[in-house]
Amino acid sequence: MSFAFVVGGQKHTRETDGTMKYAATALPALMLIGASAHASIVIDNFDTGVTNLELNTVSSSSQTANGNPGDIIGGDRDVELTVLSTTGLSASVNANPPAGVLAWSNASQVQSTAMLTWDDGGGLGGRDLTEGGASDAILMELIEIDLTAELTFSVTDTAVGLSSLVLSGLAPGELKFGFSSFTGSADFASVDSISLTFAGPSAVDAVVDLVATSTVNVPEPSTIATLGIGLAGMGFMRKRAQKKNA
């Protein structure tokens, strides 16, 4: 079975093994209420910096991709792929501009982890992810993800404080995670490194389009009320149409 998605006007097709996945088109529209296309600081949009790692044995491999500082925070992305079990088939991590996505993939009966680290080689030097209070969340755009995949964000500060957030059961879409939801002591106004780790059972996959900072938008009561009125109106019009056709 194949899975197709479009990024940057280009169609991409990925083969799946039939395990349950969320498809971007299946994401309920209500889950995107309050989402914003604005990203304050781009951590990685995967538009520059090529990453190509593939392993078919129980081992680890790492690679550093250099890109434009406007596309990758600090100008480089470190990726480590570790295969935990395999029957000879492969696990891979790929970012191939201009597709503008990063894909982590495991063949059937292959289990791996992939860790992305952004630290400018020797540290981000106390980067203020809050932008003086203008940002309070991590934004991630997921194109595809297996239900069983587990993602972990970790942030360290210049005083060696560490905060992390473990995510599972995610669906594709533009997702936001408030800094306050992280567990730990890291100061998000003085960040030294950021990492994102992919893990899960065998055959899991994920495709990411963007990682950035943003703000947590909560729908105001008036917005929710307007949405409710709109949905009620749609139901009323549907009933009228059914009566006319009866």
Side-chain angles (χ1 to χ4, degrees), residues 20 55 61 71 100 115 123 132 136 138 146 155 157 162 166-168 178 183 208 244:
M20 184 175 291
L55 295 172
S61 182
D71 296 326
M115 183 170 70
D136 62 2
I138 294 288
D146 282 289
V155 174
D157 63 21
L162 170 67
V166 179
L167 304 162
S168 60
T183 301
V208 181
K244 287 183 178 181

Side-chain angles (χ1 to χ4, degrees), residues 179 191 197:
F179 296 157
V191 170
T197 302

Side-chain angles (χ1 to χ4, degrees), residues 59-145:
S59 58
S60 294
S61 182
S62 59
Q63 191 175 87
T64 298
N66 298 310
N68 297 328
D71 296 326
I72 306 175
I73 191 170
D76 67 61
R77 171 198 322 122
D78 297 321
V79 181
E80 182 176 17
L81 176 66
T82 301
V83 172
L84 304 175
S85 63
T86 179
T87 57
L89 299 177
S90 298
S92 64
V93 180
N94 300 103
N96 296 299
V101 297
L102 179 130
W104 168 59
S105 180
N106 293 275
S108 178
Q109 299 181 25
V110 178
Q111 183 180 9
S112 76
T113 63
M115 183 170 70
L116 284 63
T117 302
W118 299 275
D119 63 1
D120 196 19
L124 295 174
R127 185 68 180 267
D128 182 6
L129 293 188
T130 74
E131 291 193 297
S135 297
D136 62 2
I138 294 288
L139 163 71
M140 180 170 59
E141 293 186 1
L142 275 174
I143 302 297
E144 174 193 342
I145 190 165

Side-chain angles (χ1 to χ4, degrees), residues 38 40-41 128-137 179 213-217:
H38 171 71
S40 299
I41 297 175
D128 182 6
L129 293 188
T130 74
E131 291 193 297
S135 297
D136 62 2
F179 296 157
T213 63
S214 188
T215 55
V216 176
N217 293 323

